[in-house]
Amino acid sequence: MKKISMRDIAKELNVSTTTVSFVVNGKHKAMGISDETAQRVNELIGEKGYNPNTTARTLRTGKSNTIALIVEDISNSFFASIAKGIETEAHKNNYKIFYGSTDNNNEIADALFTSMKNSAVDGFIITPTKGMAEQIKKLKKEHIPFILIDRLIPDIETDYVILDNYQGAYDLTQHLIDNGYRKIGFVTLSDGMSQMENRKKGFFSALQDAQIDTLEKTILEVSYQDTDEFIIQALQKYLQNNKNLDALFFATNYLGISGLEAIQKNNLTIPNDIAVVSFDDHVLFRLTVPSITVAAQPIEEIATKSIELLLKNINKGKKQLKPVGIIVKPEIIIRNSSAKKVI
Amino acid sequence: MKKISMRDIAKELNVSTTTVSFVVNGKHKAMGISDETAQRVNELIGEKGYNPNTTARTLRTGKSNTIALIVEDISNSFFASIAKGIETEAHKNNYKIFYGSTDNNNEIADALFTSMKNSAVDGFIITPTKGMAEQIKKLKKEHIPFILIDRLIPDIETDYVILDNYQGAYDLTQHLIDNGYRKIGFVTLSDGMSQMENRKKGFFSALQDAQIDTLEKTILEVSYQDTDEFIIQALQKYLQNNKNLDALFFATNYLGISGLEAIQKNNLTIPNDIAVVSFDDHVLFRLTVPSITVAAQPIEEIATKSIELLLKNINKGKKQLKPVGIIVKPEIIIRNSSAKKVI
DNA sequence: CTGAAAGCGCTTACAG
DNA sequence: CTGAAAGCGCTTACAG
């Protein structure tokens, strides 16, 4: 039951493995293998069901046709959707994908990087965490192709594909203002990743441009490490301590989801007691009653552009290209949770 | 910027690569390398930051420490959660994971299998589709370790980890009956995969055991290929044509989600107009109002048992073990969508 | 206690 | 138009 190799094919046809290799790789024309020989080789390959050994090829060429996708948490619907898009594009280009979740934990991230690098992946697609700065610098220094998605590492120039988070937050806030809301609470993560910071900036700018008193801006920051239960409790307290709020802006979808739970538990009605908007779309936001207004990310586009950029990076060879940043636009989807304020 | 190899280490210390290899693999004790030599090797390895080349090791040993996870759709929350669990367990055991989604499409599945096999994965974890029977048989014949999850292929004996779908459906139906519902519609997929068939059987048995007239069993079957829009429309029509129904049983979570949309659009109230239960839990089911009663799968357990079983299979060597089937138990989570019927 | 050497299955520069 | 041979970086049976 041994797997059949190039040598087996060569032997049986009394040709060299060189010839077989050229045929297998479609180089027979260029290398001047006669059509007749190529034909014979291809026939036997079909007959025997020969498939080239990818490991040997990788060892020889240094190219594995594998990319590593490192996300925060593959079970999070946003990253799961990204993974699906990346997969589709990668397979089109004949790439396989390793995945790994960091859970925002640096030791896990470290182990992932080491393991992937030793496995000769051709490139990385990474949603970095703050502590990853060192690893990212190392990748850069070693000239390993990679791109960042969803967020950046401040002060490190890299290729990336991210959302215009500032604009999304600005527009979402503007929408609340247009609909009569003035006292908007902002709920975000405390770890200060770039995407979160830009959402916060967009939120502030919109308030400022509308000349809404900054005193009314009330922020709640929770940690990624906190459990859902803890976050829900924090939100419940926050709502009780800030009864003047007429709207809430959730900076990411799982905060929004916990937010809905907290609002339910506090027996508040959306949007009459409090309006709600959130970053990142989610089935729940589409189907819950009332449905939730969001800034949605163009996931397909992020996936396509990511693979495109990474492949360009992988295929660039020796030349040092200047890092390319791609910024995609969010879509504001207006639903019922932010209906015009009734006064 | 060349990567440092075992030979570099050996040369610099005037020892053979054999020695270095033994030390790297922790075999120096067994092979009688002196502690002093081992010490020197380890020091230089640390200093130079040497990491063994996994590709070369794989080519030589035939073992890649890689498994392929082939699911229906990685962006589906159930499979995304499975992927997370599998990942955690795999990393604990020093395995990396390739993932791939079949979308229930056989050509894609075929391409995935070929690509993964050529990449020398040590084993497969697969949610099979009907058309995969041939591929699965081939894996068996080639003695490639694999296990099936979520569903089986009829008439092919394999290792597997699946849910007790019959029991889950039976209990969920029994719960509806206990709460006074008698005219229960069953919504399922038409492709006849094993998990779906068993859910249907469980549903029927519960009705039969309660001596509920089989004439009242009304089934709607849709195809996996149908778009969400199409399914929702089909459901709306189904609801209109079967106004006598007092409850709906959705055989999988995305049918349940589409079901909620259809019920909303038809302006029906849950559970007063129609009660709802669904297979597979989902955030939406937990948070929507009213929350939805479900049969939840123990995802952690499925992941843990899957890796355990696959690794046992991988490490079994030549011996032919009898295929092992593991059946895990669903958890019925009673929520508000199936509250006692008001008469 | 340690080394020289073969070989995993490819690709490719070199030679004719 | 095609082949012999080196080499990618490991592991391991064999020898001493």
Side-chain angles (χ1 to χ4, degrees):
Chain A
M1 216 58 208
K2 193 138 165 1
K3 257 206 91 184
I4 171 159
S5 78
M6 208 165 245
R7 227 169 121 235
D8 300 328
I9 301 284
K11 260 194 187 152
E12 187 151 341
L13 293 175
N14 275 315
V15 298
S16 71
T17 58
T18 310
T19 302
V20 179
S21 173
F22 286 156
V23 174
V24 165
N25 293 301
K27 294 184 181 172
H28 46 115
K29 288 275 180 221
M31 302 310 272
I33 305 291
S34 70
D35 284 353
E36 193 237 322
T37 308
Q39 173 86 14
R40 281 169 60 220
V41 171
N42 274 326
E43 265 168 21
L44 191 59
I45 283 175
E47 198 177 301
K48 295 262 181 183
Y50 167 74
N51 272 310
N53 178 317
T54 309
T55 309
R57 187 179 272 173
T58 299
L59 181 60
R60 181 56 227 244
T61 63
K63 186 132 189 344
S64 62
N65 273 327
T66 299
I67 64 183
L69 174 64
I70 297 191
V71 296
E72 187 174 287
D73 177 0
I74 190 76
S75 72
N76 172 312
S77 76
F78 173 70
F79 293 114
S81 296
I82 289 277
K84 182 73 188 304
I86 299 263
E87 182 198 346
T88 307
E89 294 304 316
H91 288 331
K92 271 187 209 159
N93 289 282
N94 205 22
Y95 273 78
K96 301 177 293 294
I97 315 177
F98 282 126
Y99 74 92
S101 306
T102 63
D103 287 334
N104 275 347
N105 173 320
N106 276 314
E107 280 166 47
I108 296 179
D110 240 60
L112 277 174
F113 274 112
T114 308
S115 149
M116 301 293 180
K117 284 204 290 194
N118 296 338
S119 302
V121 302
D122 293 335
F124 287 83
I125 295 178
I126 306 166
T127 59
T129 58
K130 268 207 149 166
M132 260 188 219
E134 284 315 307
Q135 287 287 0
I136 301 289
K137 276 187 202 158
K138 226 196 271 178
L139 288 180
K140 251 190 106 165
K141 206 160 56 183
E142 296 172 10
H143 300 300
I144 296 176
F146 74 95
I147 69 163
L148 303 185
I149 58 172
D150 194 49
R151 46 188 104 159
L152 305 177
I153 302 255
D155 307 325
I156 308 188
E157 247 200 325
T158 66
D159 288 87
Y160 61 78
V161 177
I162 54 164
L163 188 76
D164 189 340
N165 287 291
Y166 176 91
Q167 191 68 47
Y170 190 101
D171 292 349
L172 213 43
T173 310
Q174 185 63 51
H175 162 72
L176 283 174
I177 295 170
D178 289 347
N179 275 359
Y181 299 96
R182 291 291 176 273
K183 298 168 180 174
I184 308 169
F186 189 79
V187 183
T188 187
L189 294 174
S190 55
D191 67 358
M193 288 304 303
S194 73
Q195 82 282 24
M196 292 318 209
E197 290 306 310
N198 284 326
R199 291 173 195 179
K200 201 195 278 177
K201 277 184 202 154
F203 172 73
F204 279 167
S205 294
L207 291 188
Q208 237 159 35
D209 291 353
Q211 304 193 327
I212 293 179
D213 188 355
T214 54
L215 281 179
E216 296 175 309
K217 292 175 297 193
T218 316
I219 290 194
L220 172 63
E221 291 193 336
V222 298
S223 158
Y224 181 86
Q225 318 298 340
D226 294 338
T227 62
D228 286 355
E229 289 69 36
F230 182 89
I231 292 178
I232 291 168
Q233 282 178 21
L235 279 159
Q236 289 187 268
K237 260 183 246 157
Y238 173 77
L239 285 166
Q240 270 153 21
N241 296 338
N242 294 280
K243 298 223 163 154
N244 60 328
L245 293 180
D246 58 8
L248 280 182
F249 183 124
F250 293 100
T252 185
N253 64 2
Y254 55 85
L255 289 177
I257 292 171
S258 294
L260 296 186
E261 285 205 70
I263 290 169
Q264 264 184 35
K265 289 198 175 171
N266 279 17
N267 286 316
L268 298 173
T269 310
I270 302 171
N272 292 344
D273 295 330
I274 194 146
V276 166
V277 298
S278 178
F279 233 86
D280 298 337
D281 204 4
H282 192 278
V283 235
L284 176 65
F285 294 158
R286 194 160 53 84
L287 292 184
T288 192
V289 178
S291 54
I292 309 295
T293 296
V294 298
Q297 304 211 31
I299 291 184
E300 290 284 320
E301 189 185 355
I302 293 174
T304 316
K305 296 245 163 95
S306 295
I307 293 283
E308 235 171 58
L309 185 55
L310 181 63
L311 290 188
K312 200 185 287 176
N313 215 319
I314 288 173
N315 296 323
K316 77 175 186 304
K318 290 277 166 207
K319 359 169 210 182
Q320 286 304 319
L321 301 178
K322 211 172 153 35
V324 175
I326 295 176
I327 296 176
V328 300
K329 292 292 171 190
E331 182 191 1
I332 305 295
I333 303 177
I334 295 173
R335 300 203 179 103
N336 301 326
S337 66
S338 58
K340 229 176 203 21
K341 187 170 180 179
V342 183
I343 310 185
Chain B
M1 215 59 205
K2 193 134 171 359
K3 259 206 90 186
I4 172 161
S5 78
M6 207 165 244
R7 227 168 123 236
D8 300 328
I9 301 285
K11 257 192 188 154
E12 187 152 341
L13 292 175
N14 275 316
V15 299
S16 71
T17 57
T18 309
T19 303
V20 179
S21 174
F22 285 156
V23 174
V24 165
N25 293 302
K27 294 184 180 170
H28 46 115
K29 287 274 182 224
M31 303 310 273
I33 306 289
S34 71
D35 283 354
E36 193 236 323
T37 308
Q39 172 87 12
R40 281 169 60 220
V41 171
N42 274 326
E43 265 168 22
L44 191 60
I45 282 175
E47 199 177 301
K48 296 262 181 184
Y50 167 73
N51 272 310
N53 178 317
T54 310
T55 310
R57 188 179 272 172
T58 299
L59 181 60
R60 180 56 227 245
T61 62
K63 185 131 191 343
S64 63
N65 273 324
T66 299
I67 65 183
L69 174 64
I70 296 190
V71 296
E72 186 175 286
D73 177 0
I74 190 77
S75 72
N76 174 311
S77 77
F78 173 70
F79 293 114
S81 297
I82 290 277
K84 182 74 189 299
I86 299 262
E87 182 198 346
T88 307
E89 293 305 315
H91 288 329
K92 269 186 209 158
N93 290 282
N94 205 22
Y95 273 79
K96 298 177 294 298
I97 315 176
F98 281 125
Y99 75 91
S101 307
T102 64
D103 286 334
N104 274 346
N105 173 320
N106 276 314
E107 281 167 44
I108 296 178
D110 240 60
L112 277 174
F113 274 113
T114 308
S115 150
M116 302 292 181
K117 283 203 292 194
N118 296 339
S119 302
V121 302
D122 293 336
F124 287 82
I125 295 178
I126 305 166
T127 59
T129 58
K130 268 206 150 168
M132 260 189 220
E134 284 314 308
Q135 287 287 359
I136 301 290
K137 276 185 203 158
K138 225 195 272 179
L139 287 180
K140 251 190 106 165
K141 206 160 54 183
E142 296 172 10
H143 299 301
I144 296 176
F146 73 97
I147 68 163
L148 303 185
I149 58 173
D150 193 49
R151 46 189 103 161
L152 305 177
I153 301 255
D155 307 324
I156 309 189
E157 247 200 327
T158 66
D159 290 89
Y160 61 79
V161 177
I162 54 165
L163 188 76
D164 189 339
N165 287 292
Y166 176 92
Q167 192 67 48
Y170 189 102
D171 292 349
L172 213 44
T173 309
Q174 186 62 51
H175 163 71
L176 282 174
I177 295 170
D178 288 347
N179 275 0
Y181 300 95
R182 289 292 176 274
K183 299 169 180 174
I184 308 170
F186 189 79
V187 182
T188 187
L189 293 174
S190 55
D191 68 358
M193 288 304 303
S194 72
Q195 82 281 25
M196 292 317 211
E197 290 307 309
N198 284 326
R199 290 172 195 179
K200 201 195 279 180
K201 278 185 203 153
F203 173 74
F204 278 167
S205 294
L207 291 188
Q208 236 159 37
D209 290 354
Q211 304 191 328
I212 293 179
D213 188 356
T214 55
L215 283 179
E216 296 175 309
K217 288 174 299 192
T218 315
I219 290 195
L220 172 62
E221 291 194 336
V222 297
S223 158
Y224 182 85
Q225 318 299 339
D226 293 336
T227 61
D228 287 354
E229 288 70 36
F230 182 90
I231 293 178
I232 291 168
Q233 282 178 21
L235 279 159
Q236 289 187 267
K237 262 184 247 157
Y238 174 77
L239 285 167
Q240 271 154 21
N241 297 337
N242 294 281
K243 298 222 163 154
N244 60 326
L245 293 180
D246 58 8
L248 282 181
F249 183 125
F250 294 99
T252 184
N253 65 2
Y254 56 85
L255 289 177
I257 291 171
S258 295
L260 296 186
E261 284 204 71
I263 290 170
Q264 263 183 36
K265 289 196 175 173
N266 279 15
N267 286 316
L268 298 173
T269 309
I270 302 171
N272 292 344
D273 296 330
I274 194 146
V276 166
V277 299
S278 178
F279 234 87
D280 298 335
D281 204 4
H282 192 279
V283 233
L284 175 66
F285 294 157
R286 192 159 54 83
L287 292 185
T288 193
V289 178
S291 53
I292 309 295
T293 296
V294 298
Q297 304 211 30
I299 291 185
E300 290 284 318
E301 190 185 355
I302 292 174
T304 317
K305 296 245 164 95
S306 295
I307 293 283
E308 234 171 58
L309 184 55
L310 181 63
L311 291 188
K312 200 185 287 176
N313 215 318
I314 288 173
N315 297 324
K316 77 175 187 304
K318 291 278 167 207
K319 4 172 203 178
Q320 288 303 322
L321 301 178
K322 209 168 156 40
V324 175
I326 296 176
I327 295 175
V328 300
K329 291 292 172 192
E331 182 193 0
I332 306 294
I333 304 177
I334 295 174
R335 300 206 178 102
N336 301 325
S337 65
S338 57
K340 229 175 202 23
K341 185 169 181 178
V342 184
I343 311 185

